[in-house]
Amino acid sequence: MDVGCIMSLLRPSAIYNFVTSYPALRWMPCQSWGFLRWPGLDGFLRLMVVGLLWSTFSELRFIPSSSMFPTLRVGDRIIVEKLYGENTETVFIKRIVAKAGDAVEVHHGVLYVNGVAQQEDFIAQPPTYTIPLTTVPNDHVYVLGDNRNNSYDSHVWGPLPMKNIMGRYVTCYHRPTNI
């Protein structure tokens, strides 16, 4: 009698029968509980390849200052796509506003690139400083933080050599809620 009770528990339930017979739900991977199995050597090797590629082409970074506020906040954790292999300890996260050959200037709180005023609705506030007309040299870029008045960037040290660019911002994967 007890064996009959155990066997009745192993029969498919009404919910399982509905899920497997309803046409729109047939694609669901949970119809076959095989996805819960250990992936084995093949899956382990795939995981190793993904880990190797991840560590080769991307990097996790922490935002220590407010120079990119309001786009990035202090404490945000971001993913950076690495362009060059150098892993330096001091890294600045900035926005490229002009490339080689462009003429850059800032006056009356407006950034001008090649004589055209830039619409910057992402900055914290208009810059209070002035940058005289500067032409960006070859193999250089002009970078500014979104918090223009509180950023250590090209308005302080001039155009940045392209060789100093470590990577490209991809996304913010964690934003602390207590800040």
Side-chain angles (χ1 to χ4, degrees), residues 85-168:
E86 295 180 28
N87 185 359
T88 59
E89 193 61 34
T90 304
V91 174
F92 296 102
I93 311 275
K94 304 295 176 197
R95 185 180 301 271
I96 296 175
V97 296
K99 59 187 185 323
D102 288 344
V104 179
E105 66 180 319
V106 172
H107 56 83
H108 303 296
V110 179
L111 169 68
Y112 293 89
V113 178
N114 296 326
V116 178
Q118 303 299 301
Q119 297 295 330
E120 300 180 301
D121 56 349
F122 50 83
I123 62 174
Q125 54 186 282
T128 56
Y129 53 82
T130 300
I131 299 174
L133 185 62
T134 305
T135 300
V136 181
N138 287 337
D139 298 324
H140 285 69
V141 291
Y142 208 86
V143 296
L144 296 173
D146 288 354
N147 192 354
R148 298 285 157 88
N149 298 316
N150 188 24
S151 181
Y152 186 62
D153 52 27
S154 287
H155 90 273
V156 176
W157 29 262
L160 177 74
M162 291 283 290
K163 67 178 183 167
N164 292 358
I165 295 178
M166 188 195 97
R168 181 178 64 100

Side-chain angles (χ1 to χ4, degrees), residues 40-53:
L41 180 61
D42 191 38
F44 180 72
L45 290 175
R46 288 179 187 165
L47 182 64
M48 293 298 290
V49 168
V50 167
L52 180 65
L53 290 174

